[in-house]
Amino acid sequence: MKYSQATDYALHAMLNLVASAPDKPVGVQQLAEKLGVSPTYLSKLMTKLVKAGLIVSTPGANGGYRLRKAQDEISFLHVIQAIEGTASLLECSLDHGDECLIQQVVRDAERQMEQLLASKKLSDVAKRLPATD
Amino acid sequence: MKYSQATDYALHAMLNLVASAPDKPVGVQQLAEKLGVSPTYLSKLMTKLVKAGLIVSTPGANGGYRLRKAQDEISFLHVIQAIEGTASLLECSLDHGDECLIQQVVRDAERQMEQLLASKKLSDVAKRLPATD
DNA sequence: CCATTAAGGACTATATGTATCTATAATAGC
DNA sequence: GCTATTATAGATACATATAGTCCTTAATGG
Ligand code: SF4
Ligand code: SF4
């Protein structure tokens, strides 16, 4: 089980936005170049982030993307779920109801992980981002 | 991000083994029938569990699978990792070294989840398994 | 020796993820 | 208004992973 590569791109793109001036939008071209990804592909991911309410986009000349909220209000979980969705890890076909302990265990485990991911904000890592990124 | 269906099968198969008599091996035929899966496919999954050291198999007449360890020593994490592997959720191509906070956050989150999954044993859910399973 | 059962290789089908191309819409600046 | 710029979106192509089947081989009990 792995996060899709798209999640990796999204996280790095978001951190690049954090590192940029907050009022100057960053275009997908620049982002794609820094990440070494195809611009058109990255564009679709950015659109997902827009729809998730994490960033805002402005088309036209000097357009691009900028954060919608303060960087200390955007958590890892926000970014990850914007790309990966919020489905549970275990999707059993039969639904034996609430008494199913199997699902409870997995849900609990998910909650544990999500709790930590939600507590970590972009600002927590923005301070010390590897230089070449 | 979701566990593969194979993980779902493996968990249910293991719990069926727990529910069976510990000395009588259970064949893949019976298991497959209970789970509603193809026997040949399930067979491959069972082999993975064998290689992970969770169960032992005996071929030949009256053969099948049985638990290798006590049911309170087998955790959810054991079963899940036997199928899904142990790779990290985030596999970035560039490796910027230990100071990368992005990876640290994700690793921490993984550890949180794994810690809970490791603490939950098969015996914890075997007591109250939905009837139709 | 024979029936039974697991293991494993080869193969197919399907789904998902990754990526490209093209067209459309919106915005800023002239 | 016109034009350049930039995001959005659909269609399409490609790669990879998952899911599943078929057949052969090996091991065990009777
Ligand atoms: S026992 Fe739980 S996980 Fe299994 S099929 Fe029933 S509801 Fe789903
Ligand atoms: S910053 Fe961290 S996650 Fe990103 S490419 Fe570098 S090592 Fe990988």
Side-chain angles (χ1 to χ4, degrees):
Chain A
M1 182 199 48
K2 258 184 48 184
Y3 286 143
S4 69
Q5 210 174 337
T7 297
D8 187 288
Y9 294 155
L11 280 172
H12 286 78
M14 288 297 286
L15 289 169
N16 267 282
L17 289 189
V18 167
S20 308
D23 48 343
K24 253 213 153 57
V26 182
V28 74
Q29 308 286 350
Q30 310 164 48
L31 284 176
E33 197 171 331
K34 284 194 182 177
L35 303 187
V37 202
S38 137
T40 44
Y41 184 46
L42 182 59
S43 166
K44 292 197 185 301
L45 304 181
M46 300 308 286
T47 302
K48 280 193 177 182
L49 296 176
V50 169
K51 291 191 173 164
L54 302 183
I55 57 179
V56 287
S57 67
T58 54
N62 297 324
Y65 303 95
R66 64 177 204 279
L67 296 184
R68 181 185 170 91
K69 300 185 278 190
Q71 53 175 274
D72 58 1
E73 290 174 356
I74 305 178
S75 70
F76 272 63
L77 186 64
H78 286 138
V79 180
I80 291 171
Q81 288 194 337
I83 304 295
E84 299 280 333
T86 60
S88 170
L89 282 177
L90 196 70
E91 302 272 340
C92 79
S93 45
L94 323 164
D95 208 334
H96 289 136
D98 292 341
E99 78 271 20
C100 169
L101 292 178
I102 302 179
Q103 293 196 346
Q104 279 185 33
V105 167
V106 176
R107 295 270 158 84
D108 280 356
E110 286 183 85
R111 257 190 294 275
Q112 282 287 320
M113 182 169 69
E114 291 174 358
Q115 186 179 325
L116 196 150
L117 289 176
S119 74
K120 297 290 182 176
K121 316 293 181 180
L122 294 187
S123 52
D124 293 332
V125 300
K127 311 159 191 164
R128 213 172 46 151
L129 197 61
T132 50
D133 229 17
Chain B
M1 183 201 47
K2 260 183 47 185
Y3 285 144
S4 68
Q5 212 174 335
T7 298
D8 187 288
Y9 294 153
L11 280 173
H12 286 79
M14 287 297 286
L15 287 170
N16 266 283
L17 290 189
V18 167
S20 307
D23 47 344
K24 252 213 154 53
V26 182
V28 75
Q29 308 286 349
Q30 310 165 48
L31 284 175
E33 197 172 332
K34 285 195 182 177
L35 303 186
V37 201
S38 138
T40 44
Y41 184 46
L42 183 60
S43 167
K44 292 195 186 302
L45 304 181
M46 300 309 286
T47 301
K48 280 193 178 183
L49 296 175
V50 170
K51 292 192 172 164
L54 302 183
I55 58 179
V56 286
S57 67
T58 54
N62 297 324
Y65 303 96
R66 64 176 204 278
L67 297 184
R68 181 184 169 90
K69 300 185 279 189
Q71 53 176 276
D72 59 1
E73 291 174 357
I74 304 178
S75 70
F76 273 63
L77 187 63
H78 285 139
V79 180
I80 291 172
Q81 288 194 337
I83 305 295
E84 299 280 333
T86 59
S88 169
L89 282 176
L90 197 68
E91 301 272 340
C92 80
S93 43
L94 323 165
D95 207 334
H96 290 135
D98 292 341
E99 78 271 19
C100 170
L101 292 177
I102 302 178
Q103 293 197 346
Q104 281 184 31
V105 168
V106 176
R107 295 271 159 84
D108 281 356
E110 285 183 86
R111 256 189 295 273
Q112 282 287 320
M113 183 170 68
E114 290 175 358
Q115 185 180 324
L116 196 150
L117 289 175
S119 75
K120 298 288 182 179
K121 315 293 182 181
L122 294 186
S123 52
D124 294 332
V125 300
K127 311 160 193 165
R128 212 171 47 151
L129 198 61
T132 52
D133 227 17

